[in-house]
Amino acid sequence: MVDQKRFALFLATPDSEFVKKEYGGYHNVFVSTFGDEGEHWDSFRVVEGEFPDEKDLDKYDGFVISGSSHDSFENDPWILRLCEIVKKLDEMKKKILGICFGHQIIARVRGGTVGRARKGPELKLTDITIVKDAIKPGSFFGNEIPDSIAILKLHQDEVLVLPESAKVLAYSEKYEVEMFSIEDHLFCIQGHPEYNKEILHEIVDRVLRLGFIKQDFADAAKASMENRGADRKLLETICKNFLKGRVPAN
């Protein structure tokens, strides 16, 4: 019998009422994007101080760190604990997929610098340019490496200085580091491969209502999604290939 693959999701954000009602929580959003039948996925609400025991880390094949409304450069106790766990996983060479806040946390742990985005926040569907020379054909990107990928984005911070040994895999007009990898076990994405248009629309409405953004910013965010969607299937495949160590067939 083949051993069941096990993954752990570190949730750095609480469930919104919308996500709870529509999907039963972010756990289900992530697992429906990155999970496969027959796998076991555990969620830890790290934002609420819930972490696995260190002795249990080895039983997982891979880890995913979610986005967050918190700043990755802050020193809240749960953020420092998350950094400690990521450092340990890095030493164990465990696969970690970092998304948005998670992408920045991995950069921070490996000695990079994270901070407020120099060209301001982003909340929209946008294209990121792939650094094709940095990606080996036959890697988790597959054999057909795209020139660019459309991805949903929501962030006000960024990786300002990459850790040593990190490779930039994608950039955009506003941000120098949209994707990076370190060795074969760390893969980080500033955007949100797990988001769909409905989730981002609801976030736009909510942050507008709370006064965090202006109406024109909200309108531009929705307009970016009007006539096209993110390359969700491609992003899903790349992330799954990475997490599960798959080498795509020719």
Side-chain angles (χ1 to χ4, degrees), residues 14-215:
D15 292 328
S16 67
E17 288 307 314
F18 173 79
V19 162
K20 263 194 277 200
K21 185 165 143 288
E22 292 295 318
Y23 307 103
Y26 273 120
H27 173 90
N28 295 341
V29 172
F30 278 91
V31 175
S32 67
T33 307
F34 303 129
D36 286 306
E37 210 175 314
E39 295 172 348
H40 181 88
W41 283 75
D42 290 324
S43 276
F44 297 91
R45 293 194 174 277
V46 296
V47 69
E48 293 167 15
E50 184 192 357
F51 290 91
D53 285 337
E54 287 201 14
K55 64 175 171 40
D56 292 332
L57 296 176
D58 200 40
K59 72 182 185 186
Y60 293 104
D61 296 284
F63 297 79
V64 179
I65 309 172
S66 82
S68 180
S69 60
H70 292 263
D71 296 326
S72 58
F73 48 84
E74 292 297 344
N75 293 318
D76 298 359
W78 74 270
I79 293 176
L80 295 179
R81 179 76 183 118
L82 178 60
C83 288
E84 281 172 21
I85 294 270
V86 169
K87 188 170 189 299
K88 176 113 181 123
L89 293 173
D90 180 28
E91 287 163 1
M92 295 166 77
K93 303 286 190 227
K94 287 286 184 182
K95 291 205 176 230
I96 315 176
L97 172 63
I99 292 167
C100 197
F101 170 87
H103 152 101
Q104 296 161 16
I105 285 288
I106 290 170
R108 173 181 175 170
V109 167
R110 284 296 296 245
T113 307
V114 293
R116 277 285 178 266
R118 289 164 288 201
K119 293 185 179 175
E122 189 148 69
L123 174 52
K124 64 192 267 195
L125 175 67
T126 193
D127 293 303
I128 60 175
T129 302
I130 302 301
V131 184
K132 294 174 94 163
D133 291 350
I135 300 164
K136 291 188 296 238
S139 71
F140 56 87
F141 266 77
N143 294 307
E144 294 293 321
I145 299 165
D147 292 318
S148 65
I149 296 177
I151 191 167
L152 293 165
K153 294 189 66 202
L154 162 62
H155 66 108
Q156 61 178 1
D157 302 333
E158 69 172 323
V159 175
L160 300 168
V161 181
L162 266 182
E164 273 183 51
S165 80
K167 279 194 305 190
V168 176
L169 304 182
Y171 63 91
S172 64
E173 280 179 27
K174 278 180 80 169
Y175 308 100
E176 290 171 16
V177 186
E178 291 281 6
M179 276 184 186
F180 73 91
S181 66
I182 297 177
E183 296 170 35
D184 295 324
H185 64 288
L186 303 174
F187 177 43
C188 302
I189 305 173
Q190 181 59 72
H192 286 272
E194 80 286 8
Y195 276 6
N196 57 32
K197 192 157 75 171
E198 290 72 32
I199 290 174
L200 201 67
H201 260 245
E202 191 275 332
I203 291 171
V204 171
D205 289 340
R206 184 157 27 103
V207 294
L208 177 65
R209 203 166 55 243
L210 292 167
F212 293 140
I213 60 170
K214 299 265 194 321
Q215 187 68 53

